Amino acid sequence: MTDTADFSDTRYNQLAEQLADAIRRGTLAPGSRLPSVRRSAQTWSVSINTVVAAYRRLEDRGFIEARPQSGFYVRAALPALNHQPQEQPQTPAAKPADEVLDLIDTVFASQIDPTYTNLSLACPQSNDFYPTGKLGRIMASLLRRQPNLIGQYALPPGSPALRQQIARRALALGMILEPADITITHGCMEALQLALRVTTKPGDSVGLETPTYFYLLPMLASLGLKAVEIPTDPQTGLSLDVLEMLLTEKRLNAVIAMPTAQNPLGFTMPLAAKKRLARLMNDHHVPLIEDGLYAEIQFGATLSPAVKAFDRDGWILFCTSFTKTLAPDFRIGWVEGGRFADKLHKLKAVSSMAESALLSQTLTLFLESGGYDHHLRALRKRYASQVEQARALIARHFPQGTRATQPAGGFVIWVDFPPGVDCVTLFRQLLKDKICMTPGQLYSPSGRYTNGLRLSCCYVFDTRYISAMIRIGERACEMCGLPPGLAETQEQAEESRTS
């Protein structure tokens, strides 16, 4: 009985995924009708119940829609985001605009208030997303066997065993790293800050993607650094032609970029672009600080390698942490510093000294056990599904003309509303509804992207989350005067008239 149920569940998911793949490739075009349930059951040699379950699964994920007395049809695709990036970089900004800093403070205050429904914070808020039970058991066992761990420091550059495991895992992203060049840090934010401090000095200019991760803006300001916004395409990433011009003119002292599963746009740069990016930085002797925070949460069958994998002379520093995938409270991150490795070791010692020996050893044992790979496979699948579900909610409830990214990894979506929706105003209206999202202006030092916002899909998709998404759509529709949902294609309209 159990085996049959397990097989049935697996089979309908397999069928749903095969059909979803056909829709993504365009084999099943928007507006086209799916075969009847009975015909599909015959074609795939499965039961009618299995087909119905697969179709309902696709409907929940926003791939198809049911039409009364007509059948199931492929939904019109949510329009892709297609920024027309400016041809020139923005003028260097010594600090973010005051309204950007004020917004960041307001968003942060709402993020930590449990009475708000949070669609803003890019950090999973449920134990469902973390192997807390396994980590807890490993830690308890360690404390029984080695109670003295609590009285020890994992002095810089950090636990040798953990750095060995990190170097082993880096092979999956194409990086051949020496454990001796790795520094364990207090999360990815410290890794990025240390990387900036060893590669720049106050007054220097740092190139950024635009939009970029918004906490980089106050970080740069606190270090006395100027931000230069570099045009960034939502599908292919940083404009390498503009970057090359800036490097040739010696207008940049460093670059921070997130080439894989970028936050907030979700793109992964094509392989050829990653190779060119590495070559440019090495040729011009300018450090690239590569933020790889979401690099292990890619949705493709194979992982796209890090830009660091193509580093020739040590000009690329790779920063990441385990906070998004394993244990936020551990605050364990790391940076591989290339030619700056020794400076990083020393700066870590005078900056925050040591990380926890107990937490480092717990994480080391979990990585050694192979449990991390199993956990990542499940996590990638879940986030890919939740991103699709969130895009389906956007397609149904946000104003016509809304565009959204199709992330290649991670769990954030960037949305561009049609004219008439000011997302700062929308943000303040939603605070009255106890809903927190992040308006697009936060992601630019100059306060651009007034009609954009970032949504996080790293929460349990319960009634509270779905209701908040619907409310965002309602508020946006009220602002611009447009109805919700996707406009019908000509094929759909014709099909509706004849059915």
Side-chain angles (χ1 to χ4, degrees), residues 84-126:
Q84 297 297 322
Q86 69 273 21
E87 294 182 1
Q88 298 296 325
Q90 296 287 302
T91 302
K95 70 180 186 69
D98 289 340
E99 59 266 29
V100 172
L101 295 175
D102 290 343
L103 275 173
I104 290 174
D105 289 342
T106 305
V107 168
F108 185 71
S110 302
Q111 286 177 338
I112 61 177
D113 187 333
T115 66
Y116 282 76
T117 301
N118 201 331
L119 285 75
S120 168
L121 187 63
C123 189
Q125 295 294 289
S126 168

Side-chain angles (χ1 to χ4, degrees), residues 133-154:
K134 293 179 181 178
L135 290 172
R137 288 190 291 274
I138 292 172
M139 187 182 298
S141 176
L142 273 171
L143 283 173
R144 285 194 302 270
R145 292 182 287 109
Q146 303 178 52
N148 60 319
L149 278 173
I150 290 180
Q152 296 180 3
Y153 284 113

